[in-house]
Amino acid sequence: MSEYVKKLVAEVKTKNPNEPEFHQAVEEVFDSLELVLERHQEYRSAKILERMVEPERMITFRVPWQDDQGEIHINRGYRIEMNSAIGPYKGGLRFHPSVTPGILKFLAFEQVFKNSLTTLPMGGGKGGSDFDPKGKSDNEVMRFCQSFMTELFRHIGPNTDVPAGDIGVGGREIGFLFGQYKRLKNEFTGVLTGKGLNWGGSLVRPEATGYGAVYFAQEMLKTKGQEVAGKTFALSGFGNVCWGAATKIAQLGGKVVTLSGPDGFIYDKDGVTGEKIDYLLDLRASANDRIKDYADKFKCEFYAGKRPWGIKTDVVIPCATQNEIGVEDAKAIINNKVMCLTEAANMPTTLEAYKMITAAGIMFAPGKAANAGGVGTSGLEMSQNSMRYNWTAEEVDQKLHRIMKDIHDTCLSTAEKYGTPGNYVNGANIAGFLKVADAMLDQGLV
Ligand code: NDP
Ligand code: 2IT
């Protein structure tokens, strides 16, 4: 790392104390930019990096709501509007008790580069709340969402900031949020993505993140003359992204053998297929957060309190949450001679673990490239809303597939151009950065 970048990272740490995930995300991106900064002094003199780590706007607000017993609860709501150089802020909302400003800043920062890679005109943002949807009734979730939107509505809009789902926010929550926005603004617009199909949603958006990650893995395998068919896959999580990935892997003839939840992981030697994939939707909707139920129902092995990375497979696709692959997991992955690791979750691998995995010669794709199919299809939903038109599932899927192939090829060509052939992390960070940085230069000091 150059002295300049080291100093910048140190400043970010001092200025944003107690935000380790944000530090991690910044360090990973800046580490990739050495050669770019050497070749382009203009980014340094215009203080592009210093500007990129400072959100354009951060909104924090009180979210009061009443449970079914009439008791009052107060949660905290956030929206981080990180960067609007190439389009309106765009990014998901996360409802999870672990949500803090640092988590949302890391996600918003990643989103800026990810959205740039999609080839679509979207800036980066992220938001959410420390609200825990676990065990809440539909009515409680609705009241929470209505209260959340009663403040958020004044900060967002179809040309300003377009939120979507993330952990804990799916179709049900987007519906409640949209209903309240429409009521407050008296406007029916594409202000959120991930909407229901009858009211402005896009076909394939629910599946898109998982599908996209598998298309990306497929391209990675192709570079070694390999294909998805006949390969085994270790997945983590059991939510929206995991479900989409499992569906596409099964379609392409691969075999998913692991899934995980906060309680442990399951090992299903026969493969997660057919009704077993559908069952993931039931599990998620139950809000019980137990993957053990899968093992009980389909009679397979369950390992309490463990992660799935010790199981030997050809491909690893983490689909749950940040930093779920640490140093010990990396050792197991290397030991298992995994062919490729494709991140479907956001930053699921720690910096140390990712360095070990790439040093061992395992192909490694970062989430900001490999999971961009979710927000990419959100971009397609925005396009359809603007046209007041709907594409067929085939049309959307075809565009998603093209976006993922473009991102894959851009990562490789950029990595090559900047002296690190085959390094998807550098390729993604540099390509994502250049588009945003150049737009910022064009737009002057803002
Ligand atoms: P879901 O809420 O549908 O599922 C999330 C899964 O991860 C659940 O199994 C959840 O269990 C688990 N999980 C969440 N937090 C933790 C934690 N701290 N420890 C252990 N397990 C955890 O979310 P998604 O499938 O939408 O999101 C999964 C990942 O994909 C996230 O990293 C998200 O940022 C990323 N992503 C999502 C996109 C989308 O469009 N939805 C797009 C791109 C990336 P539990 O709730 O019990 O913690
Ligand atoms: O992390 C992500 O890219 C998402 N949660 C999806 C964001 C979006 O706006 O569709």
Side-chain angles (χ1 to χ4, degrees):
M1 232 188 231
S2 71
E3 284 311 309
Y4 169 63
V5 168
K6 264 193 213 150
K7 190 164 157 270
L8 266 184
V9 171
E11 274 170 19
V12 167
K13 290 183 180 173
T14 316
K15 243 181 151 176
N16 303 275
N18 307 317
E19 297 182 356
E21 292 84 5
F22 181 50
H23 306 162
Q24 181 183 343
V26 170
E27 198 166 334
E28 187 217 276
V29 171
F30 284 7
D31 198 25
S32 296
L33 298 179
E34 294 285 330
L35 201 54
V36 178
L37 296 169
E38 251 174 57
R39 288 187 193 170
H40 299 276
Q41 285 297 318
E42 65 273 24
Y43 298 137
R44 275 183 72 159
S45 48
K47 299 257 162 88
I48 294 293
L49 271 63
E50 290 86 338
R51 282 195 255 163
M52 277 187 177
V53 293
E54 201 58 43
E56 288 179 16
R57 190 177 298 108
M58 278 180 66
I59 301 141
T60 308
F61 50 97
R62 179 203 295 161
V63 190
W65 59 280
Q66 260 180 321
D67 68 21
D68 290 343
Q69 283 68 47
E71 193 180 328
I72 291 170
H73 299 266
I74 314 296
N75 282 99
R76 199 170 274 181
Y78 305 93
R79 187 73 183 164
I80 316 271
E81 297 182 333
M82 202 70 182
N83 194 304
S84 62
I86 63 166
Y89 309 106
K90 180 84 196 85
L93 295 171
R94 177 177 290 193
F95 293 169
H96 196 273
S98 64
V99 163
T100 58
I103 296 270
L104 295 180
K105 267 157 81 178
F106 116 65
L107 290 162
F109 185 74
E110 290 274 294
Q111 199 81 45
V112 173
F113 303 93
K114 182 194 307 193
N115 294 3
S116 164
L117 286 169
T118 63
T119 69
L120 302 172
M122 299 181 289
K126 198 87 186 189
S129 174
D130 56 0
F131 174 74
D132 187 358
K134 194 169 165 177
K136 304 291 188 297
S137 70
D138 284 351
N139 273 326
E140 288 172 334
V141 170
M142 181 180 75
R143 285 195 293 274
F144 175 81
C145 288
Q146 289 178 339
S147 180
F148 185 87
M149 187 52 90
T150 300
E151 174 56 33
L152 186 68
F153 90 99
R154 67 187 87 248
H155 308 288
I156 62 176
N159 295 310
T160 308
D161 184 353
V162 183
D166 192 79
I167 291 177
V169 178
R172 175 183 63 167
E173 290 75 19
I174 294 293
F176 295 148
L177 291 163
F178 184 81
Q180 186 71 352
Y181 180 89
K182 184 162 58 70
R183 191 175 183 203
L184 291 164
K185 292 284 276 197
N186 193 26
E187 270 177 18
F188 194 111
T189 61
V191 67
L192 293 160
T193 59
K195 298 185 292 297
L197 289 179
N198 293 334
W199 42 278
S202 174
L203 285 158
V204 190
R205 176 63 187 90
E207 296 89 340
T209 311
Y211 275 25
V214 176
Y215 291 147
F216 200 97
Q218 190 178 31
E219 294 302 315
M220 293 170 84
L221 290 171
K222 260 194 213 160
T223 66
K224 306 279 182 213
Q226 301 285 336
E227 56 181 19
V228 170
K231 300 278 181 310
T232 51
F233 290 74
L235 268 52
S236 60
F238 62 93
N240 169 262
V241 173
C242 180
W243 163 76
T247 307
K248 185 49 78 180
I249 291 166
Q251 275 175 19
L252 295 175
K255 191 200 242 187
V256 174
V257 293
T258 70
L259 303 167
S260 73
D263 55 335
F265 80 92
I266 63 101
Y267 177 39
D268 186 347
K269 288 191 186 74
D270 299 332
V272 181
T273 51
E275 60 157 337
K276 295 175 181 175
I277 299 179
D278 299 339
Y279 182 65
L280 295 184
L281 296 176
D282 299 344
L283 272 185
R284 195 79 206 112
S286 77
N288 287 329
D289 282 344
R290 270 197 320 263
I291 197 66
K292 183 173 182 298
D293 296 1
Y294 178 104
D296 293 342
K297 187 169 166 71
F298 298 112
K299 308 277 173 272
C300 69
E301 293 168 35
F302 170 70
Y303 295 85
K306 295 239 159 39
R307 295 164 171 172
W309 315 126
I311 301 293
K312 187 172 168 54
T313 57
D314 300 312
V315 181
V316 162
I317 308 190
C319 302
T321 193
Q322 63 276 353
N323 292 331
E324 52 168 322
I325 298 180
V327 167
E328 289 310 311
D329 306 307
K331 283 182 194 159
I333 287 167
I334 294 165
N335 202 27
N336 287 337
K337 298 196 168 43
V338 165
M339 271 178 209
C340 89
L341 190 160
T342 307
E343 292 188 336
N346 283 309
M347 208 171 72
T349 316
T350 66
L351 264 180
E352 242 181 321
Y354 129 70
K355 286 192 173 151
M356 286 166 64
I357 290 167
T358 42
I362 294 172
M363 288 189 288
F364 179 96
K368 63 170 77 69
N371 73 31
V375 73
T377 307
S378 279
L380 300 176
E381 182 171 328
M382 289 165 74
S383 306
Q384 292 170 84
N385 292 165
S386 299
M387 291 188 290
R388 300 190 190 285
Y389 188 73
N390 292 313
W391 288 317
T392 63
E394 290 71 27
E395 283 171 306
V396 178
D397 192 29
Q398 202 182 23
K399 291 182 203 305
L400 166 65
H401 203 152
R402 185 189 53 78
I403 289 172
M404 297 317 297
K405 195 173 170 340
D406 274 0
I407 298 175
H408 175 271
D409 296 352
T410 299
C411 287
L412 282 190
S413 60
T414 309
E416 171 108 33
K417 193 167 163 203
Y418 284 88
T420 51
N423 187 324
Y424 287 93
V425 173
N426 283 350
N429 287 335
I430 295 170
F433 169 83
L434 288 173
K435 185 172 165 190
V436 177
D438 289 339
M440 289 172 77
L441 286 179
D442 290 345
Q443 292 170 23
L445 188 54
V446 288

